[in-house]
Structures are given as structure tokens and as C-alpha cells.
Amino acid sequence: MSVPTSSFQPVLDRIAADIAARPGRGRPAGYIPALASADPRRFGMAVAELDGTVYGVGDWQHPFSTQSITKVFTLALVLSLDGDNLWEHVGREPSGNPFNSLVQLEYENGIPRNPFINAGALVVTDRLQTLTGDAAGALRAFLRAESGNPRLTFDEAVAASESAHGDRNAALAHFMASYGNITNPVPGLLGQYFRQCSVEASCADLALAAGFLARHGIRADGSSLLTRSQAKQVNAVMLTCGTYDAAGDFAHRVGLPGKSGVGGGIIAVVPGRCTLCVWSPGLDQRGNSVAGVAALDRFTTLTGLSVF
């Protein structure tokens, strides 16, 4: 994939130079053994325009573990297939607690606060499994189509690693099932969820795949995935809930809808203009890429592109 010459390229080059000069990159996600050995000095960033033109810098074509970034795409798929029925099973409010917390479920009758904490994502995957019969497969097919990368797939070693250390997710799923908010058998659902989170993709892949959110719900082939209102809903939940319990700080610094994953990736959306993905495996204490947040902060500062 070639990098066209455009105004975005000098901005990305400048950001990469700024990031290279920054001390401190955080630490990889140590609680998932398959991710713990990632090099926090790696950095990549891509910007995709509405027509699919992509610009990149650094490790922008290097596949990495997408983890919670996939929650955006499963949410969009469920909304496209089932509409607003989903919101009867999951809320749209920030949680203020860690992404794998059990606390709120206990006093909110098994209804997760939002689709991006683990409990909420399990509900979304459960709905997608019911609607498609293969939630992880539906996600992979969508990502391949939107990114144009037919080789995009799961990292089975990462999925196995998460499954072996997935007791907290199992607890979340069983607890919600006790309230009737999970309908598929929990073991099978967990398998689908861990495969979903193990998708490997590059910054270029994810920037392209998220393009429908900048195009107000329109897919790369011109067909409609979401209504304009539904695309607005997804972007709004990304802005308020997309970076775990640091969403307020992210909105303050970056000013864009975004979704992070503990693999070190973050996607961000400039509605009507472009989508971005940045990757660097070193995380802060809340699970967000240190260099990734800094790079997106720098992008909106240099370009003036923000939702505010």
C-alpha cells in the first residue's frame, strides 16, 4: 500500500518525530501473557479519508492485537441487524469503574452501563451470536470487507491465552445470565468473545474499517450499514465511554470519538472527514496507549480537526 502525498502526511511525520522524542511509553498489558512481551517503543499511525485514501507513518502496516477496539464493530453490526432493541439490554452511560468491574452489575440488575466495558461487550456479542450464529465470523467478514484485507484474521494464541485467564469475564457472563441478560450458553459465548478480541489488524486496516462512522453509516462499497442517527449514537458512546474510565480525560485532550484496546491501539473518528488509528503497546494505568493518546492529542492540535 503506497502513501499518497497530501497534507496529512507531513502532519503524521511531525507527530512521529514528536512521539520518538517523548520519554516514557507505559507498559504492555501484563495480565494477558500473549501481549506482555510487546515492545512499548513501537509506534504506528494511519489516517483514512472518506474515499479510502490512506496515509501512514511508522508501524502503520504492522498487525497488532485489536482487543476492545472490536467492540465498536460488533456494536455497529448488532445495531444494523436489530436496531434499538439492543438498548434494552445495555446502557449508554460512562461506568466510572474499571472495564472488567463486577460492582455495578450487582445493583443494576445485570444491565451493563455501556457496550464498551467487558460486561456490555459480552451482551453485544451474545446478541450478535443469536442474530448470526457466528459472532466472531461475522465480525471478521465485516473487517475484511471494509479494510480490503482478506488476510485479516484471529490470533489463536492470543484467544487461547485470554481463555486461560478469563475467569473475570466468565463471572460477568454468568452473573448477567442469572438475570436473563445473556441467552446463549456461557462457554460458547466466551469462546466467541475471546476470538473477537484476538483479531489482528494494522492501523491501516482499522482506519479503513472504521470509515463508515465518518461517512455517517455508509460502508466502503456505498451501501448503508447504519442510519445517520445510529452512526451518531455509536460515535457518541465512543466519545463518552470509549477509553475505559479515562473517557473524560480523552475527550478533554483529543476531542474526538475514540475506542482503545489493551493491545495498544486506538481508533478515532472525525465525522465527515476521516478516521484514524494509532498503535503503541505501552499502556497507562487505565489501559490506554500512552503514545497513542499523545499522538491523537497532537493530531487534533496540529490540524484543528475536532468535534468541538
Side-chain angles (χ1 to χ4, degrees), residues 175-220:
F175 190 84
M176 291 186 293
S178 74
Y179 281 94
N181 204 26
I182 293 291
T183 59
N184 289 284
V186 169
L189 169 62
L190 291 171
Q192 290 284 331
Y193 180 71
F194 294 138
R195 294 195 87 207
Q196 166 192 319
C197 291
S198 78
V199 166
E200 270 203 327
S202 68
C203 291
D205 292 332
L206 292 172
L208 286 166
F212 70 95
L213 291 171
R215 294 187 293 266
H216 308 296
I218 303 302
R219 295 185 62 165

Side-chain angles (χ1 to χ4, degrees), residues 20-47:
R22 286 176 58 94
R25 291 290 187 91
R27 296 181 178 180
Y31 66 93
I32 301 175
L35 302 181
S37 61
D39 182 355
R41 295 169 296 179
R42 301 199 74 158
F43 173 81
M45 188 171 185
V47 180

